[in-house]
Amino acid sequence: MSQLNAKLIVSDFDGTLITSDQRVLPEVKSAISSYISDGGIFAVCTGRMLASILPQVRALGLEGLVVACQGTVIADIKSGELIRNGGLSASEAAEICKVLEDLGAPINAYSGDNLFSNIPKDNKYLKLYEKITGITAKHVSSPLSEYVSSSDEKWQKIASLCRPEDRQKLLYYLSEKFAGRYDVTCSADVLVEVSPLGDDKGSALRFLANHYGIDIKDTVAAGDNLNDLSMVVAAGTGVAVGNAVQGLKDAADYISCTNDEGAIAQVIKKFGYING
C-alpha cells in the first residue's frame, strides 16, 4: 500500500472529473478507486442538483458524502439522507427572480429535486442542460417571482441560463446588485448562479474536512470554473485543471492537465501520495 499525502481530495464534476463529452476516463476511475483503497477519501462537490449527481457518484462506486448545488446541499451517497440542506427563503428567491425578470433574463429555480424554469421547452441551451443533468425542467408560465414567493419550499439557488456572450455582463451586474447579500458565480459558459451567501464550495470543503477529522492543510480541491474558486482557495492545495477559466488558474497552487486528458488521475498521483 502506498503512503498517502493528501487525506481528502475533493473534485468538481463537470469540466473537471468528467470529459467534455460527459465520460469518466478509465484512468480517472482507476486512480480514484486505488486512492480510496489506500485509505484516502475522495468526494465530489458540484453545482448540480442532488438528484442529478447521486446516480453519477454511485456509478463511480463512491461512498460517504457528496456536495450539490454549490455547497448548499450535502448528502450521504448511499442513503441520500440530507446532512446539510441550506437555501434561500421564498422571499429571497423571489427577489432574485424579479431582478432577472426585469432584465428579461431566462431563469431556472432549484428546490429540492425540482427544477422550475420560465425558459421555452425548445430552447437549445435548456434542452442541452436537461440532457447533461438528466433533470427535466417544470415549465412555469406565470412570472417565476410570483410562483416562488407563494411557495413554502427552500430554494437552493436561482440561475440564469444565458447566451455565452451575455454571461460576463450579467455576472458583473448581479455581483454588484447583490454584493454582501448573496453569492453570485458561474459554473459554465451559459450559467450565472445566485445562492445563499456562505453556502459555497469552500464552506462545503471545510465541512467535509471537519466531518472526516482531516486538517484542512491535508486537503486538495480541483475545479474548472468560478464556482470552484472558494474551495480551491480554502484547500491545503488548490488545483485548476488545464481547461479552467483564467480567474481560477490565477488563484490555484497548481495547474493540471485538462479534464479531457485525465486531470483528476494526475491530481491524485501528484498530491494523493508521498513522492507522488
Side-chain angles (χ1 to χ4, degrees):
M1 180 184 293
S2 301
Q3 187 175 357
L4 292 180
N5 180 24
K7 307 299 191 299
L8 169 64
I9 297 178
V10 179
S11 175
D12 172 49
F13 193 68
D14 295 280
T16 302
L17 192 153
I18 61 173
T19 62
S20 301
D21 58 358
Q22 305 294 301
R23 293 181 297 119
V24 179
L25 294 175
E27 60 264 36
V28 170
K29 188 168 185 178
S30 176
I32 293 171
S33 179
S34 295
Y35 176 69
I36 293 172
S37 295
D38 289 334
I41 298 171
F42 185 88
V44 168
C45 184
T46 179
R48 288 195 187 203
M49 297 167 61
L50 183 61
S52 175
I53 196 59
L54 269 182
Q56 303 292 335
V57 292
R58 286 169 176 166
L60 271 172
L62 298 186
E63 297 181 355
L65 303 184
V66 64
V67 181
C69 285
Q70 313 290 38
T72 306
V73 173
I74 301 177
D76 179 79
I77 293 172
K78 185 176 181 179
S79 67
E81 178 187 357
L82 294 176
I83 307 301
R84 178 161 109 180
N85 186 26
L88 303 157
S89 68
S91 60
E92 290 172 330
E95 176 194 13
I96 297 164
C97 287
K98 185 63 169 64
V99 169
L100 290 169
E101 286 167 355
D102 290 345
L103 293 172
I107 308 169
N108 282 345
Y110 301 74
S111 178
D113 291 339
N114 295 310
L115 166 61
F116 299 90
S117 181
N118 68 355
I119 305 172
K121 295 179 181 180
D122 60 351
N123 178 278
K124 67 177 183 179
Y125 295 120
L126 180 61
K127 290 173 72 174
L128 178 60
Y129 184 78
E130 290 176 326
K131 181 180 179 180
I132 289 172
T133 62
I135 302 294
T136 301
K138 300 177 185 293
H139 187 73
V140 178
S141 55
S142 60
L144 258 177
S145 58
E146 295 179 7
Y147 182 89
V148 166
S149 66
S150 64
S151 75
D152 295 322
E153 304 297 323
K154 280 186 177 179
W155 296 85
Q156 279 71 47
K157 63 179 180 178
I158 306 296
S160 182
L161 190 61
C162 57
R163 296 181 302 176
E165 58 267 30
D166 296 333
R167 190 190 78 161
Q168 196 58 36
K169 183 178 179 180
L170 182 60
L171 174 65
Y172 178 79
Y173 177 82
L174 294 180
S175 296
E176 291 289 306
K177 180 76 174 177
F178 296 134
R181 298 186 60 215
Y182 305 118
D183 184 63
V184 181
T185 190
C186 295
S187 60
D189 289 342
V190 296
L191 279 171
V192 178
E193 307 181 38
V194 186
S195 55
L197 191 66
D199 276 1
D200 55 20
K201 290 190 176 188
S203 69
L205 173 67
R206 290 186 287 271
F207 183 99
L208 292 178
N210 183 67
H211 175 82
Y212 291 115
I214 295 171
D215 194 303
I216 198 72
K217 68 179 177 60
D218 294 323
T219 67
V220 174
D224 74 306
N225 222 309
L226 293 179
N227 66 324
D228 301 311
L229 182 61
S230 60
M231 75 170 181
V232 165
V233 170
T237 301
V239 178
V241 295
N243 51 291
V245 297
Q246 191 59 47
L248 192 68
K249 288 181 176 179
D250 291 342
D253 299 303
Y254 178 77
I255 300 173
S256 74
C257 61
T258 69
N259 62 325
D260 291 332
E261 297 170 314
I264 293 306
Q266 184 188 77
V267 168
I268 291 172
K269 180 179 179 181
K270 183 171 182 64
F271 299 109
Y273 298 92
I274 300 290
N275 300 322

